[in-house]
Amino acid sequence: MDIVFKGARVVDGTGAPEYRADVGIQDGRIAGIGPGLSGGRSVDADGLVLAPGFIDMHSHSDLQVLANPDHLAKVSQGVTSEVLGQDGLSYAPVDDAVLETLRGQLAGWNDDPPGFDWNWRSVGEYLDRLDRGIAVNAAYLVPQGTVRMLCVGWDDRPATESEVDRMRSVVAQSLREGAMGLSSGLTYTPGMYASTAELVRLCEVTGSLGGYYSPHHRSYGAGALEAYAEMVQVSLDSGCPLHLAHATMNFPVNEGRAGELLTLLDNAIAAGADISLDTYPYLPGATYLSALLPSWATEGGPEATLARLSDVDTREKIRVEIEETGSDGCHGVPVDWESIEINGVRRTDNSHLVGHSVAASAQFAGRSASALYFDTLVAERLGTSCLMHVGHEDNVQAIMRHPAHTGGSDGLLVGDRPHPRAWGTFPRYLARYVRELGVLGLEECVSHLTGRAAKRLRLTDRGLVREGFAADLVLFDPDEVADTATFDEPRQAARGIPYVLVNGVPVIDGGTHTGALPGHSLRNNGRTK
């Protein structure tokens, strides 16, 4: 054997009770589990837990995994695979014009690195780019908003039949090239312009080719339950499995209402629906600052949006919708500027805004919050990111207990102060919700973060500690593992995770980051290139 972990507490990802064993690795696979194994290198794992590598079901590393392929944020917390292409917006499939638009629109999520080589246009070409060498394995979802941008444009209107046919063709081709499913961002333009019927048509294709549908649905605030119900109906009508992205109930209107969501899902599952979900173990959310705008204000793309924000009368119309009636971009809830914290800017002369709420910065400047908001968006050309302090702890805990639950960081890696979930999601589950609060048992939590996620991705050789499976493994100290990333200091590696292996190669070795790049794309139906 290449490596043997001696005397580990094996938590295998199934939810079964832990057991003690040696685990041997050879040629990137788990080659033996049992007593008395030997090999070229022996690691004393006495008292430590050996588990499958964690699978981040909702990641926004689409560019950063290429621009900074050592990917310390994820590997340091035990992540060995992640799912990209989330929330209906990413960088494939595209043409030159769509890519240029996305680079600006998504700068608050992914940055727009100078000199970066954008040498792909199709999903297959993007996955090939991943295969050049990355620290973790990565799967990809076809982003429905990007597909609509490519086939329909930025208009807020129903797609024609020929446009729907083209979108179905693009989705089908993308799945044949290796995409795992379809994502949507139904509070982001232009994806939000799709009707329920249009989504059903795309999901029919997705499900028929072995994929699943992962929507950021139309509201996490007012109308959240109706939005969840729409997604369940899309799944039932199309026959496509459903995975609900960052599934929670946010904003004051939904405090204490997680049980209503879980009842909706349980009833659908009992009726035969195939449903799973992911969450992150934090209360604030994160997005780009312009996401709060009403959809009509962003029709036509970034340049049209900036023109509207520069017009006095249009600004006032937008202000009324955001502050008084509740825009669809802000989940139908009137914005509370105290809850919106700017955490990333592109211009250095706006760096003083970082770490403060829009309300606090406006008060300091002696201006209205809406004026500061609009002027910042214009100056930053929409490239600003923010935190939204809108979550509820009781909802978070109730949802993570559900048997369909998996883990997803929803982590943004760029900006001055990114959300700490990008660095801390998985150790936080183990530290806070297993060891400290006992919300989940150790074996149960590990199964949420590994085996259940692999099952949704239809990975037949990952997500479990089992002979013959790929050696994606994490060794951690259950008494010491913890997230150290905070909102003030978010780029901090986890504690208590001394070993992380991806395809049998140590990426964290004795607590040291090796810089190895053994990861590759994970393709539809578990195929790898």
Side-chain angles (χ1 to χ4, degrees):
M1 308 249 180
D2 301 321
I3 304 173
V4 176
F5 291 97
K6 301 289 290 185
R9 296 170 55 184
V10 178
V11 177
D12 67 3
T14 66
E18 68 171 77
Y19 60 91
R20 187 180 177 90
D22 300 343
V23 177
I25 313 303
Q26 189 170 21
D27 298 328
R29 296 273 163 179
I30 299 172
I33 304 174
L37 300 181
S38 61
R41 180 183 177 191
S42 179
V43 175
D44 182 5
D46 184 44
L48 304 181
V49 170
L50 186 68
F54 305 133
I55 299 176
D56 188 342
M57 288 295 290
H58 191 99
S59 172
H60 288 284
S61 307
D62 307 47
L63 288 190
Q64 292 302 306
V65 74
L66 297 173
N68 298 288
D70 57 357
H71 214 31
L72 181 61
K74 294 301 177 67
V75 295
S76 63
Q77 58 179 303
V79 171
T80 58
S81 298
E82 60 183 349
V83 186
L84 311 173
Q86 301 287 351
D87 293 337
L89 290 166
S90 190
Y91 304 93
V94 294
D95 58 21
D96 291 352
V98 167
L99 177 59
E100 185 67 24
T101 297
L102 286 166
R103 289 174 60 179
Q105 182 181 6
L106 299 182
W109 283 0
N110 294 296
D111 199 8
D112 185 9
F116 186 78
D117 181 9
W118 300 88
N119 69 334
W120 71 83
R121 294 297 180 269
S122 70
V123 168
E125 290 168 346
Y126 176 74
L127 296 177
D128 289 343
R129 176 70 174 270
L130 296 175
D131 287 331
R132 292 185 187 180
I134 51 178
V136 303
N137 305 307
Y140 188 78
L141 302 176
V142 188
Q144 170 258 332
T146 297
V147 172
R148 201 175 207 271
M149 201 182 303
L150 183 66
C151 299
V152 181
W154 277 86
D155 295 340
D156 182 1
R157 62 171 177 80
T160 66
E161 189 62 29
S162 64
E163 289 167 340
V164 170
D165 287 343
R166 186 185 174 202
M167 286 191 286
R168 282 165 57 94
S169 177
V170 169
V171 170
Q173 182 61 32
S174 297
L175 266 82
R176 293 188 184 101
E177 291 173 1
M180 289 287 191
L182 178 74
S183 77
S184 283
L186 299 178
T187 63
Y188 301 125
T189 53
M192 64 160 55
Y193 301 145
S195 66
T196 305
E198 182 178 313
L199 297 173
V200 169
R201 297 288 303 281
L202 299 185
C203 286
E204 288 171 346
V205 173
T206 301
S208 71
L209 292 173
Y212 67 93
Y213 180 43
S214 182
H216 165 130
H217 50 275
R218 298 190 195 274
S219 175
Y220 289 79
L225 286 175
E226 292 81 0
Y228 280 114
E230 180 193 13
M231 298 300 95
V232 170
Q233 197 61 50
V234 167
S235 175
L236 291 171
D237 289 349
S238 66
C240 183
L242 177 66
H243 180 84
L244 294 167
H246 38 60
T248 190
M249 300 283 285
N250 286 336
F251 299 92
V253 68
N254 287 319
E255 185 171 3
R257 299 186 67 193
E260 297 174 56
L261 166 62
L262 299 179
T263 297
L264 169 69
L265 301 183
D266 286 339
N267 289 341
I269 291 169
D274 181 357
I275 298 175
S276 57
L277 56 90
D278 66 67
T279 69
Y280 49 83
Y282 298 85
L283 301 187
T287 187
Y288 48 85
L289 190 63
S290 63
L292 305 180
L293 295 169
S295 57
W296 62 263
T298 60
E299 184 179 4
E303 293 303 323
T305 303
L306 290 167
R308 294 185 184 101
L309 294 177
S310 299
D311 178 78
V312 174
D313 292 337
T314 308
R315 269 197 187 200
E316 175 59 15
K317 183 179 178 182
I318 295 171
R319 184 203 65 77
V320 169
E321 191 157 336
I322 290 178
E323 292 188 337
E324 299 178 18
T325 62
S327 79
D328 48 4
C330 196
H331 307 271
V333 178
V335 70
D336 174 7
W337 293 117
E338 292 281 359
S339 72
I340 307 301
E341 175 187 343
I342 293 175
N343 71 329
V345 295
R346 303 176 75 181
R347 293 173 48 137
T348 57
D349 58 341
N350 285 323
S351 60
H352 63 285
L353 301 173
V354 173
H356 304 288
S357 70
V358 172
S361 291
Q363 183 178 20
F364 182 80
R367 310 176 61 203
S368 71
S370 60
L372 184 135
Y373 171 72
F374 292 136
D375 287 346
T376 300
L377 289 181
V378 172
E380 294 272 317
R381 295 190 60 79
L382 312 179
T384 317
S385 58
C386 69
L387 301 176
M388 301 177 68
H389 296 269
V390 294
H392 305 286
E393 182 67 24
D394 56 346
N395 287 347
V396 169
Q397 291 191 25
I399 293 169
M400 75 170 62
R401 292 188 182 101
H402 194 273
H405 172 263
T406 65
S409 70
D410 195 16
L412 305 178
L413 298 171
V414 304
D416 302 271
R417 291 190 188 183
H419 196 303
R421 65 193 183 190
W423 289 75
T425 286
F426 293 88
R428 183 173 173 84
Y429 269 116
L430 297 168
R432 177 169 173 78
Y433 292 98
V434 173
R435 187 175 66 237
E436 297 173 8
L437 299 180
V439 174
L440 298 171
L442 176 62
E443 294 91 343
E444 181 185 10
C445 183
V446 168
S447 73
H448 288 217
L449 307 181
T450 61
R452 291 186 188 178
K455 183 178 180 181
R456 167 52 72 212
L457 294 170
R458 300 186 181 184
L459 300 175
T460 58
D461 65 345
R462 296 176 195 272
L464 303 177
V465 180
R466 183 169 292 173
E467 288 189 15
F469 272 47
D472 292 345
L473 298 168
V474 56
L475 187 73
F476 64 89
D477 185 336
D479 298 322
E480 295 293 332
V481 64
D483 54 308
T484 67
T486 66
F487 286 97
D488 289 332
E489 297 289 341
R491 292 183 171 93
Q492 302 294 321
R495 185 176 69 238
I497 303 179
Y499 289 90
V500 179
L501 274 64
V502 177
N503 296 311
V505 177
V507 184
I508 302 294
D509 190 335
T512 299
H513 186 213
T514 68
L517 303 177
H520 52 64
S521 65
L522 300 174
R523 306 204 182 200
N524 190 17
N525 293 327
R527 294 193 305 272
T528 59
K529 184 175 175 63

